[in-house]
Amino acid sequence: MDWLAGVRKTLARLHLSADAPSAEDLGDLLPWALDQVDPRLRLASGYPKAYLASLGKALAYCHALADRVPEPVAVNRAAFARDAVVHALFGSADSIIQSLVSSQAVRDWSRAHPEATEAYALLGVRLQTRNIMGMTLRNDTLQREVSQQVVYFTDHTFSGLADSEAAARELLLRRFMESLLGRVQERVQALQDRRHELEQARDEAQARLRQHPEDPQARQALERILVELGDSIARAELAAYPAHFAAVMDQAETYLQLQPRSLLVDALGVCQEADSPQAGAPDLGASHLGASQLGAYPIQLHEMQGRDRRKWHVALVRCDLAEVPSYPDRLQQAGRWLAI
């Protein structure tokens, strides 16, 4: 939390000035950021000035991105019955509790805050789809065997738990910064790996040339490798690290995005068109009815595109920890299932 306190002061200073931040403005944020990539970045020529503008720009971008995430959604059994978003994200009210129980982050938070009855967190889910044949209402006529697409969500994860929405957004800001800095680290590591590959290829090419000194193809291959190796060495030198840092942090929107996504689904998860007769207020308790009898409702989520190549949809949530059974209760319940 000390890191977050420093970020609050930094953002306040950046907001008051249009100039590039100073080392004093960024405080402990700059050493922390460089350590996320490689501590040797401090040895590059121009430290710390070479990193200040890029880091300040990325911090402002991540702060704006964290603020764009909608208000938290309550996640509990009651919300499953009345909130269309919660109803779509979880398969049942019991699955909400199971997701909370299965989360290591939630368990860690509960142990550290035994008196807490709720916690704010970032919920990440993966959107899945499947095609089915179902019923729909078209031109006041019930049609059967109509191709439909069902959406559902899996791999529920909770991260960045906090005791308030403001603290949760600050942790989200840190997560965004870590994602960008991870991209810088990957860039630097890829350059170093490529240099080692070329050095090995050079050694092999030199060995072939010693065996066949008159072979023009072997000589040309070695020359090509040496040219690329020279460029690779230059790019992997410490002097080039500020440029690699800036290449990611100055273009943060390329490496980290939150794309809003709206879906219109009914209570069975069937996608509907905006002009569908089903569009309207849903009856979430009518899951025993056919899809044609269920109202459709919009779901607003954000697709996060970052280091993870998998597509995650995220939302801020307020978890009701009072509904999560204690460890002895879960152990007793497991014993009953084993007895059955």
Side-chain angles (χ1 to χ4, degrees):
M1 299 303 292
D2 291 340
W3 183 92
L4 294 175
V7 167
R8 294 188 201 108
K9 296 178 182 178
T10 299
L11 288 168
R13 287 193 293 266
L14 294 179
H15 180 70
L16 295 174
S17 175
D19 299 330
S22 66
E24 291 73 19
D25 289 335
L26 293 174
D28 293 335
L29 181 61
L30 178 59
W32 171 83
L34 300 185
D35 285 342
Q36 301 299 305
V37 180
D38 189 331
R40 291 179 300 171
L41 266 67
R42 292 185 176 88
L43 304 177
S45 176
Y47 171 84
K49 186 177 181 180
Y51 302 104
L52 298 179
S54 298
L55 185 57
K57 185 176 181 180
L59 179 64
Y61 174 78
C62 290
H63 181 250
L65 207 61
D67 281 349
R68 279 175 46 195
V69 178
E71 294 181 355
V73 176
V75 172
N76 51 45
R77 290 183 180 276
F80 181 81
R82 67 171 184 266
D83 192 310
V85 175
V86 177
H87 191 89
L89 289 175
F90 296 90
S92 66
D94 288 339
S95 70
I96 296 176
I97 307 305
Q98 184 58 44
S99 296
L100 291 170
V101 169
S102 302
S103 171
Q104 183 65 50
V106 172
R107 294 198 297 269
D108 291 343
W109 169 265
S110 298
R111 280 195 293 268
H113 305 81
E115 303 302 322
T117 58
E118 67 177 20
Y120 293 80
L122 181 71
L123 171 66
V125 293
R126 297 185 64 190
L127 174 66
Q128 310 285 353
T129 63
R130 70 171 184 269
N131 295 322
I132 64 170
M133 302 302 291
M135 297 182 297
T136 189
L137 188 65
R138 291 178 179 172
N139 299 324
D140 296 328
T141 302
L142 183 63
Q143 297 186 1
R144 302 177 184 273
E145 297 302 312
V146 177
S147 178
Q148 297 175 328
Q149 186 179 65
V150 174
V151 299
Y152 59 101
F153 298 89
T154 62
D155 301 333
H156 298 69
T157 63
F158 298 90
S159 61
L161 274 75
D163 57 4
S164 68
E165 178 184 348
R169 290 188 186 277
E170 289 171 343
L171 289 172
L172 184 56
L173 163 62
R174 176 168 180 149
R175 176 172 176 169
F176 288 160
M177 289 294 295
E178 288 173 339
S179 178
L180 289 177
L181 293 166
R183 286 299 189 99
V184 180
Q185 195 276 335
E186 290 173 355
R187 182 186 182 97
V188 171
Q189 187 62 49
L191 290 171
Q192 294 173 348
D193 291 344
R194 182 56 180 163
R195 173 180 176 175
H196 294 153
E197 291 175 0
L198 289 169
E199 288 174 342
Q200 183 177 355
R202 175 202 59 194
D203 295 342
E204 293 173 353
Q206 288 175 337
R208 286 194 296 269
L209 187 60
R210 284 194 295 269
Q211 293 177 352
H212 308 283
E214 304 300 327
D215 187 348
Q217 293 183 345
R219 184 173 299 279
Q220 291 172 2
L222 176 59
E223 291 174 352
R224 287 195 299 269
I225 292 173
L226 291 175
V227 170
E228 185 177 355
L229 179 59
D231 178 66
S232 178
I233 291 175
R235 297 180 66 200
E237 290 291 338
L238 282 174
Y241 277 19
H244 300 316
F245 189 86
V248 174
M249 307 303 272
D250 285 350
Q251 302 294 327
E253 63 278 4
T254 303
Y255 297 93
L256 180 64
Q257 298 178 4
L258 281 180
Q259 297 291 346
R261 183 166 185 177
S262 179
L263 300 172
L264 188 65
V265 300
D266 63 26
L268 297 180
V270 178
C271 288
Q272 305 289 347
E273 299 297 332
D275 58 352
S276 168
Q278 285 78 24
D283 181 1
L284 299 180
S287 59
H288 62 284
L289 300 176
S292 62
Q293 297 169 280
L294 296 173
Y297 47 91
I299 300 174
Q300 299 289 340
L301 294 173
H302 280 76
E303 182 180 323
M304 185 167 66
Q305 300 175 1
R307 292 180 65 192
D308 195 332
R309 297 298 187 268
R310 296 172 297 177
K311 292 184 178 180
W312 287 95
H313 287 73
V314 298
L316 274 180
V317 296
R318 188 178 75 252
C319 308
D320 189 345
L321 301 181
E323 293 186 344
V324 179
S326 65
Y327 178 76
D329 291 340
R330 297 200 303 269
L331 192 61
Q332 185 178 13
Q333 183 180 20
R336 289 197 297 268
W337 278 107
L338 289 174
I340 294 174

